[in-house]
Amino acid sequence: MKLNSSAIAGHDTAVLPPLRGVTWGLLGVLAFSLTVPLTRVAVGAGNLSPLFVGSARAVIAALVAGAALMIARSPRPRGRQWGSIAIVAIGAVVGFPLLTSFALTQTPAAHGAVVIALLPAATAVVSVVRTGARPSAAFWWAAAAGVVAAVAFAAVSAGGVGALQPADGLLFGAVLVCALAYAEGGVVSRDLGAWQTISWALVIAAPLMAALSVGAILAQPPKGTAVEWLSFAYLGVVSMFLGFVAWYRGLALGPIAQISQVQLVQPVLSIGWAALLLREEITILTLVGGLAVVACALLAVRTRGPAVRRRSRASSATGRRVPSP
């Protein structure tokens, strides 16, 4: 794969074999599926603080992304693109890693994976609002059902609505900011390129994340085990950079509407990793909750698709491109 490949190709990718897009998409999802369990490994024992893990991993990823941008001689964003890059940085680089790192000090990885399973549906909602698409009523019902299923799972797990834990609020916040980042990134990447978009987001967030990392080190010097440091390295290099390269490569090969559905297997994989790596007990409640949220997200993604594709065909007639996050 060439380093300067764009996530949104300038050519009609429909003629390419779908298997290639699915393969790259699955590689990206496989990389992301380890994020929640390995974050739990990194912060679970308390040797590495959640602030350090959430911020320093972004610094590591920014170093890799900066080198990639220099090697590819990627052009800088222009004008309003900087605003979109800032939204991506706030959501995907700052918000999601920090919120999940703090949340996973208080809750099992399998629990976190079920709540985060709401992300595809949340991204679909933000995307249709951002792009002005008009999906069917079934889409909105499916998205609402996904929210209800995720909240119900968190509440039942905690012992009732009044017993919801702060970790659940952090996880729902992580889903919201990441959905905003994904949707905005999908819009700006059609011109800037997708891996370039996440790379610039990492670079502009690097000073803040570096300052937070220094503060975290001064407050609690990191003294992790070899396994915890390896988990941290994975989060920085794979979860925050290489995973995005594979994922957006899959979207570039497309069709986007079909490849994006591959992400729905991510929570299932994450729950499996939690059982395998962390020896977490996977209860019937976890399985039922995960399946319910994934089913609602699948329905939301599928019912959104036709409205977006009709808009895309209409735009082709006028020669204008419509973003498809």
Side-chain angles (χ1 to χ4, degrees):
M1 181 183 68
K2 293 183 180 180
L3 191 58
N4 60 349
S5 61
S6 171
I8 307 298
H11 305 286
D12 184 4
T13 58
V15 298
L16 295 175
L19 182 60
R20 292 179 60 193
V22 171
T23 301
W24 280 106
L26 282 174
L27 285 175
V29 166
L30 180 61
F32 293 147
S33 70
L34 280 160
T35 299
V36 170
L38 291 186
T39 300
R40 176 67 177 174
V41 171
V43 303
N47 296 321
L48 303 177
S49 72
L51 179 58
F52 172 78
V53 172
S55 58
R57 70 194 245 192
V59 176
I60 300 299
L63 293 174
V64 178
L69 290 170
M70 291 179 62
I71 293 172
R73 296 181 180 180
S74 180
R76 295 184 178 183
R78 304 180 307 275
R80 295 182 179 179
Q81 289 179 341
W82 284 112
S84 296
I85 293 295
I87 293 175
V88 175
I90 292 170
V93 179
V94 180
F96 187 84
L98 288 175
L99 291 172
T100 53
S101 293
F102 279 99
L104 290 169
T105 63
Q106 308 169 38
T107 191
H111 179 100
V114 172
V115 177
I116 294 174
L118 187 62
L119 181 57
T123 302
V125 171
V126 177
S127 295
V128 298
V129 173
R130 176 65 177 82
T131 60
R134 296 182 178 180
S136 65
F139 165 80
W140 294 110
W141 281 111
V147 173
V148 171
V151 173
F153 166 77
V156 173
S157 297
V161 176
L164 282 171
Q165 301 298 313
D168 292 310
L170 294 175
L171 290 170
F172 282 115
V175 168
L176 176 60
V177 297
C178 196
L180 291 169
Y182 278 6
E184 191 65 29
V187 172
V188 70
S189 65
R190 60 185 174 138
D191 297 319
L192 191 60
W195 78 261
Q196 293 93 332
T197 296
I198 189 62
S199 294
W200 282 113
L202 286 163
V203 168
I204 68 168
L208 171 62
M209 304 309 274
L212 291 175
S213 299
V214 171
I217 292 172
L218 293 176
Q220 179 186 333
K223 297 179 181 179
T225 64
V227 173
E228 290 167 348
W229 280 114
L230 285 173
S231 298
F232 168 76
Y234 182 95
L235 294 172
V237 177
V238 181
S239 293
M240 295 205 68
F241 184 72
L242 294 181
F244 278 102
V245 173
W247 175 243
Y248 283 125
R249 177 61 174 170
L251 293 180
L253 293 171
I256 292 176
Q258 296 176 15
I259 302 303
S260 63
Q261 296 180 35
V262 173
Q263 191 181 18
L264 294 168
V265 306
Q266 183 176 323
V268 179
L269 292 174
S270 294
I271 291 173
W273 288 124
L276 181 64
L277 300 178
L278 302 175
R279 300 292 189 268
E280 290 186 0
E281 181 182 358
I282 307 303
T283 65
I284 294 297
L285 174 62
T286 300
L287 291 175
V288 172
L291 289 175
V293 176
V294 169
C296 292
L298 174 61
L299 182 58
V301 172
R302 283 188 174 275
T303 54
R304 184 196 71 156
V308 174
R309 286 195 292 271
R310 282 196 297 269
R311 181 186 173 108
S312 299
R313 286 197 296 269
S315 67
S316 299
T318 61
R320 298 177 60 190
R321 300 173 64 191
V322 173
S324 299

